[in-house]
Amino acid sequence: THARARPISPRAMSLRDEFIRHGVVVIPGAVPGDVVERCVAQLARDLEHPVVQPESGTPRGASLSDPSTWPSGTARRVIEVVAAEEGTHWRDVRESPKLREALDMILGEDAWTVEANVVDAERGICEPRHWYCPVTFPEGNEEAKAAALKAKAIVARAEQSEKRRKVSGASGLCTPAPAHWTECDSGNVRELRESGHDWEDIAKMISTSETIWTANDCKAHYEPAWAPEHDAQLMALVQAYGEKWQTIANAISSQRPGCTKAQIRGRAMMLLDERSPNMTDDAHNVSVVGPTNVLDPGTSWHPVNRRRMLNRGWHLDIGAGFDTDWMRTPEGHPFQGAIILLFLTDCAPGGGGTAFIKGSHRWVASYLRKKGGVSHQNVNAWAIDLVGELSSKGRLPLSYEMDKHEAENAMSRDDIDGVIEQVSGQAGTIVLLHPWLIHSGTSNLTADVRLLANGMARVKQESFDAHGISVLKEVQALEPKLKRETDFLPSTCPDDQVKRAPPDNRLPKVSVICPVHNAARWIDETLASVCMQTYTGPIEVSIFDDSSSDGSASIIRRWAKAFARIGIKCVANGSRWVESANFVKEDAPNQGIGFCRNRCIGQSTGEILVFLDSDDVMMPNRMELQVPLAVEHPTAIIGGCWKRYPSGSTEHYEAWANMMTRNELHFEQFRECTVLLPTWCMTRSIADAVGGFVEAAPGSGEAEDLIFFHRHLELHYDANLAANKPSLLRAGEYPDNPVLLYRWSPQSASARCSRRRLLQVRAEAFEKRILSTEGWSKFIIWGAGRDAKNFMNELSPAARARVQAMIDIDPRKTGRQYSNSQVPEQAPVPILHFSKVPRGLPVVVCVAKRRKGSGEEGDLESNVDTLGLIEGQTLWYFN
């Protein structure tokens, strides 16, 4: 279907300008009411008896006229209906005069087409799917209120950070106010736990500078999503066992390992409430007593994906027939002209309307221009990361958090990058979105079902070949309104990099060690940061591609040519690269990060090695700061201050790692790596002496960095100490002058090592280097909790036999003995109160620093100081 020539109204002309500038236009009353009614009638039938079979996981048996059939509990609230061309109503939609006039102005007369669905009813498929109709059901009663309140807590978190500390006028001391667990915390814990992390690691990762969570906090709040079969099993167990919650927990543990009694009881109570005979057909309506608990959907909605995960639904529409692995390019594709959203029911604010960020199509235009081309799925992943980064900084407020005047003028403000808005309108309204506009679904917090038809206008192939898509070209001419931490990079496109001045060969040659595995999403930024280095000596980039399957290889090849052009030597190889000396085979498996780093080191030639992971970004002065230190201290690992990218993730760990003194870098060495591997700079002699990294299989959970770290200290620490030289140093200043933007995600290679393995490596190093010295022939363990016991159990039998006592400040733990039933030959160890500890013996502290005691004795460090020991000699902190 296409438009016939006719005069263009001023309204349509303004629509085109609005479409290019903002990426969204609204056309009220575009489809007559009788046409809408016929569309809704068909959807109602197809919802109950689908012609095209829905995807797996979609709730079944829902009826628009029967609220008791609507999805509830943890079930998805969105059911996609693919409607066949039936009657004339879908043709009437496509031929709407207002729609045709707008598309003519936006895409060009006779330049576009809107296709109809062709359904194979016998096979229950529709390929390609030109139109689909997402039916968004209400959250429902208490679920709506709970979802909204949890979502609001996330937004309020930034505001709470100032309130979490109150200043005492008398002392000026800051004391933390009570912290509040949010749905964002729950989401992070769920993702980390399901990635295999230990509770202690999770607690460290989600803590912030204002809020420190414990492993018990995380464990108590962790709750995997409840599937319908879990609910059914739970209700059967409740009927069988009543309120015997421990029995029920044991019975359901095989399906839901780690689920606590409190969680199971809470879930059962919620399900029982839902099934209460007192509920009426209006149970989906929110009815809460008291003005403080009334839910206003218009000021409570939040962006969600189809699984109702907050802020994870941001995406670009794909267009019928376009594969997720195909490349989105600056030129666009004829399948992607303009997104068409048709309201088939009235949609009030908070009623599940599409969320969008006005002007975000400019961000995508800039991103694609710099990249040249990115697969559709990687563009969507980038969009989620970008919106998450900006939201965490408070630079993307929700529209209802601002007054109308502020929201309307958001594009001209410097303190924000945009506003998250929600489309709403009456049935028959059409909303056109730019094909690059970032948008998301939202929760439906009203009592009504929202019906929407979603399609995409295509550009005719002959028009695309002759003229391209003008609204894409014109958007690329607009400057994106966006501030990011990588703004110091003028461009992340290899072809845009500027030739460097000839290197000063009097300075040492630096090899950048860059291992790569499936890093297409980030590697442009990573390698662009090499080009920005202010270091004037010779630079070499050593890249090894360990069996990437996401297009990383083609990106690396482009950068290799760019490096050669601008005066940076590049050595790039890969195990799947046919032309490489390291070629294994075209489907060679990934060998792991240790293997990959060793190949990078082996093929490099520089005197100084600078480590750079393929998702991190070096600050321009990194080499200039680190290389002189490495030259001056050739037996020291030179780390650097760093900042999280995106900012806001794992704030507590970031602050701890960056604010240690020079002495603490050494004194804390058994707690973990005190200098982060992606910031390492060292002489080649250190890597040669250590022997490179352990080469472990991917997913094995090996601590390659920690093993290298302790092997280096084993080789150099004592000699450096005797010569009053450092073994560990850190360049830069935190937070104003870091050397690296350190990207973090739960999938990061450095985040997958288990706590047990980290403990084993640290305990082995402690035994080899400390317990082997004469002064530690007998020693004491401070702590009688899990950490202390785990440490002791990782020691060799000979080392365990030298433990004279375990000490604690908690009287409930003291006055008894510790013995491990799994190690019957181990002699019981007395547990003493710290006030009765034998003097003169060295102590290893296996309690986390800054932890309070249960009595009035005070902080851990203050209590330890009373022993009169010397840190780094007769006293070491291990946790």
Side-chain angles (χ1 to χ4, degrees):
T1 303
H2 63 269
R4 295 181 294 274
R6 60 190 174 282
I8 302 299
S9 70
R11 165 64 178 160
M13 295 180 69
S14 67
L15 281 179
R16 188 176 192 280
D17 293 338
E18 193 173 345
F19 188 82
I20 292 171
R21 181 172 176 78
H22 293 148
V24 56
V25 296
V26 179
I27 311 172
V31 177
D34 63 314
V35 176
V36 170
E37 289 175 1
R38 281 180 279 148
C39 291
V40 171
Q42 181 184 349
L43 290 185
R45 295 192 299 272
D46 287 352
L47 182 65
E48 295 187 47
H49 306 288
V51 177
V52 177
Q53 293 306 307
E55 63 182 17
S56 62
T58 300
R60 303 296 182 98
S63 169
L64 293 181
S65 60
D66 184 1
S68 68
T69 66
W70 294 358
S72 61
T74 59
R76 288 170 52 172
R77 294 300 192 273
V78 179
I79 299 178
E80 288 185 0
V81 176
V82 179
E85 185 83 354
E86 179 181 296
T88 62
H89 45 280
W90 294 112
R91 184 194 66 195
D92 293 339
V93 169
R94 298 194 306 277
E95 296 187 355
S96 157
K98 290 187 177 181
L99 173 62
R100 291 163 55 191
E101 182 182 43
L103 290 178
D104 271 356
M105 194 60 203
I106 290 170
L107 299 176
E109 283 194 60
D110 201 32
W112 55 271
T113 180
V114 179
E115 303 288 346
N117 281 343
V118 178
V119 172
D120 184 338
E122 289 187 6
R123 297 170 60 200
I125 61 172
C126 177
E127 296 178 351
R129 190 179 68 168
H130 292 286
W131 289 87
Y132 69 95
C133 301
V135 181
T136 305
F137 289 91
E139 285 295 325
N141 205 358
E142 290 301 309
E143 291 169 349
K145 185 180 75 174
L149 292 177
K150 287 179 179 179
K152 278 179 169 294
I154 297 173
V155 177
R157 187 166 185 169
E159 300 172 1
Q160 291 170 356
S161 66
E162 290 299 320
K163 301 175 183 178
R164 286 178 181 167
R165 293 184 176 275
K166 55 184 181 180
V167 179
S168 166
S171 64
L173 298 177
C174 292
T175 56
H180 302 281
W181 187 273
T182 69
E183 181 64 17
C184 183
D185 293 318
S186 294
N188 289 336
V189 167
R190 187 179 302 115
E191 191 170 0
L192 289 165
R193 184 62 179 173
E194 291 172 0
S195 297
H197 290 282
D198 181 272
W199 292 115
E200 293 284 352
D201 291 337
I202 294 172
K204 183 184 298 181
M205 289 178 181
I206 72 164
S207 293
T208 69
S209 54
E210 291 88 10
T211 310
I212 299 176
W213 300 114
T214 67
N216 286 337
D217 292 329
C218 298
K219 192 172 183 180
H221 287 92
Y222 171 68
E223 185 171 8
W226 285 81
E229 57 268 26
H230 297 159
D231 287 340
Q233 182 186 10
L234 177 58
M235 286 295 92
L237 291 168
V238 170
Q239 289 181 358
Y241 297 107
E243 296 187 12
K244 296 180 180 179
W245 300 114
Q246 187 60 61
T247 302
I248 294 172
N250 293 340
I252 208 171
S253 62
S254 61
Q255 296 294 319
R256 296 181 59 80
C259 203
T260 66
K261 284 195 300 181
Q263 291 169 348
I264 290 172
R265 182 170 58 247
R267 183 67 181 176
M269 292 298 100
M270 189 197 80
L271 293 174
L272 290 170
D273 286 344
E274 283 185 352
R275 302 179 184 192
S276 169
N278 295 325
M279 293 184 70
T280 67
D281 287 342
D282 292 327
H284 57 280
N285 289 301
V286 177
S287 176
V288 185
V289 178
T292 59
N293 290 329
V294 173
L295 175 66
D296 177 6
T299 58
S300 304
W301 60 267
H302 273 260
V304 295
N305 66 4
R306 295 290 168 84
R307 295 180 177 83
R308 303 160 72 207
M309 295 177 65
L310 289 164
N311 295 318
R312 301 298 295 176
W314 295 104
H315 68 283
L316 279 65
D317 267 12
I318 190 168
F322 194 91
D323 192 89
T324 57
D325 290 328
W326 290 4
M327 303 297 281
R328 302 292 292 253
T329 67
E331 296 74 31
H333 192 280
F335 289 178
Q336 298 151 350
I339 302 165
I340 305 170
L341 305 179
L342 166 62
F343 285 122
L344 297 174
T345 54
D346 293 346
C347 184
T354 300
F356 66 95
I357 305 166
K358 193 179 292 180
S360 59
H361 59 313
R362 300 191 205 176
W363 307 346
V364 177
S366 176
Y367 178 65
L368 294 179
R369 186 172 63 248
K370 292 176 181 178
K371 291 281 190 176
V374 186
S375 72
H376 175 80
Q377 59 185 353
N378 280 340
V379 172
N380 280 345
W382 166 83
I384 291 174
D385 288 346
L386 174 61
V387 174
E389 175 190 343
L390 298 177
S391 296
S392 71
K393 298 177 183 175
R395 297 190 64 85
L396 272 183
L398 293 154
S399 58
Y400 58 76
E401 297 170 336
M402 315 170 71
D403 62 38
K404 185 177 180 181
H405 176 74
E406 287 180 317
E408 289 175 350
N409 292 280
M411 297 291 286
S412 62
R413 292 175 53 172
D414 292 330
D415 59 329
I416 58 176
D417 292 302
V419 177
I420 298 174
E421 304 179 54
Q422 185 186 49
V423 294
S424 59
Q426 295 181 325
T429 296
I430 282 181
V431 180
L432 298 180
L433 304 181
H434 194 282
W436 289 343
L437 192 77
I438 300 175
H439 57 287
S440 170
T442 64
S443 49
N444 181 359
L445 304 180
T446 67
D448 304 310
V449 180
R450 187 222 66 181
L451 303 181
L452 184 77
N454 189 323
M456 178 82 81
R458 289 183 168 190
V459 176
K460 291 184 176 180
Q461 188 66 52
E462 58 269 25
S463 177
F464 181 81
D465 293 339
H467 310 291
I469 303 177
S470 62
V471 291
L472 302 190
K473 297 176 182 177
E474 293 180 51
V475 165
Q476 293 187 63
L478 299 175
E479 198 63 32
K481 183 182 184 297
L482 182 65
K483 290 186 178 180
R484 303 193 69 189
E485 294 190 53
T486 53
D487 283 347
F488 65 87
L489 299 174
S491 172
T492 57
C493 176
D495 298 335
D496 293 341
Q497 304 308 312
V498 178
K499 187 174 179 63
R500 293 170 62 87
D504 182 350
N505 290 312
R506 294 172 299 175
L507 297 173
K509 182 179 183 180
V510 176
S511 290
V512 178
I513 304 304
C514 187
V516 175
H517 175 69
N518 287 346
R521 285 169 59 185
W522 309 290
I523 197 169
D524 281 319
E525 282 186 340
T526 300
L527 298 181
S529 71
V530 176
C531 302
M532 293 300 296
Q533 291 302 299
T534 56
Y535 180 69
T536 57
I539 299 175
E540 170 189 73
V541 182
S542 178
I543 306 172
F544 191 86
D545 176 17
D546 185 17
S547 301
S548 294
S549 58
D550 67 341
S552 293
S554 61
I555 298 174
I556 294 168
R557 289 186 177 99
R558 286 184 66 198
W559 275 101
K561 294 177 181 178
F563 285 134
R565 176 178 57 81
I566 69 174
I568 294 176
K569 181 183 178 182
C570 181
V571 183
N573 286 291
S575 50
R576 292 185 179 182
W577 293 25
V578 177
E579 74 275 21
S580 169
N582 301 98
F583 174 70
V584 178
K585 55 182 179 178
E586 293 184 359
D587 60 347
N590 173 23
Q591 295 295 305
I593 187 65
F595 167 89
C596 199
R597 284 200 180 103
N598 287 341
R599 296 305 171 277
C600 288
I601 295 171
Q603 68 188 19
S604 67
T605 59
E607 305 155 55
I608 306 295
L609 307 180
V610 168
F611 289 81
L612 177 64
D613 283 358
S614 57
D615 57 351
D616 297 331
V617 178
M618 293 197 291
M619 301 304 286
N621 62 349
R622 176 183 177 180
M623 292 184 189
E624 187 179 359
L625 291 173
Q626 288 187 305
V627 172
L629 290 174
V631 172
E632 183 182 357
H633 304 284
T635 55
I637 290 179
I638 315 300
C641 293
W642 51 271
K643 292 182 70 175
R644 277 295 193 200
Y645 180 47
S647 62
S649 50
T650 66
E651 291 179 81
H652 177 59
Y653 175 66
E654 177 181 331
W656 172 80
N658 281 291
M659 297 178 73
M660 282 182 285
T661 65
R662 182 165 171 171
N663 281 338
E664 286 175 329
L665 291 177
H666 297 82
F667 292 161
E668 310 260 308
Q669 63 182 271
F670 293 107
R671 297 183 69 196
E672 57 181 281
C673 282
T674 54
V675 285
L676 193 74
L677 186 149
T679 72
W680 286 1
C681 170
M682 67 183 69
T683 58
R684 180 175 294 275
S685 61
I686 290 181
D688 290 343
V690 170
F693 291 86
V694 171
E695 296 186 8
S700 63
E702 186 54 278
E704 295 97 340
D705 56 343
L706 189 63
I707 293 173
F708 189 107
F709 176 81
H710 281 295
R711 176 65 175 151
H712 157 68
L713 293 174
E714 180 186 348
L715 294 172
H716 300 113
Y717 185 80
D718 289 342
N720 283 338
L721 188 64
N724 197 28
K725 295 179 180 179
S727 296
L728 303 167
L729 283 172
R730 188 176 61 220
E733 297 177 355
Y734 179 79
D736 298 324
N737 189 23
V739 303
L740 187 81
L741 297 181
Y742 173 41
R743 194 186 301 270
W744 178 86
S745 73
Q747 289 74 38
S748 299
S750 58
R752 289 197 290 264
C753 189
S754 70
R755 180 178 172 82
R756 173 69 185 277
R757 180 57 185 148
L758 295 174
L759 171 63
Q760 290 172 341
V761 173
R762 290 159 49 226
E764 180 181 350
F766 190 83
E767 181 169 347
K768 183 181 292 186
R769 293 182 39 232
I770 305 300
L771 298 185
S772 61
T773 61
E774 184 177 350
W776 284 76
S777 59
K778 296 180 180 180
F779 67 99
I780 292 172
I781 296 175
W782 185 298
R786 182 192 61 186
D787 290 340
K789 294 172 182 176
N790 287 343
F791 166 74
M792 182 171 176
N793 293 332
E794 289 298 338
L795 298 176
S796 67
R800 287 198 298 265
R802 290 152 51 192
V803 177
Q804 301 302 294
M806 303 174 78
I807 59 176
D808 207 285
I809 63 173
D810 188 347
R812 293 171 297 182
K813 297 178 182 177
T814 59
R816 58 183 71 183
Q817 293 184 326
Y818 169 66
S819 59
N820 186 346
S821 60
Q822 303 300 315
V823 188
E825 68 276 11
Q826 177 180 309
V829 176
I831 302 175
L832 309 176
H833 191 271
F834 90 100
S835 62
K836 299 178 181 179
V837 62
R839 303 288 166 156
L841 291 179
V843 172
V844 54
V845 180
C846 294
V847 177
K849 275 192 168 185
R850 293 172 290 279
R851 183 172 293 179
K852 300 283 186 177
S854 60
E856 298 180 357
E857 288 85 354
D859 292 333
L860 171 68
E861 292 92 326
S862 299
N863 293 331
V864 173
D865 287 345
T866 64
L867 300 180
L869 302 174
I870 301 175
E871 189 169 4
Q873 296 181 27
T874 54
L875 171 69
W876 288 96
Y877 284 91
F878 194 83
N879 286 84

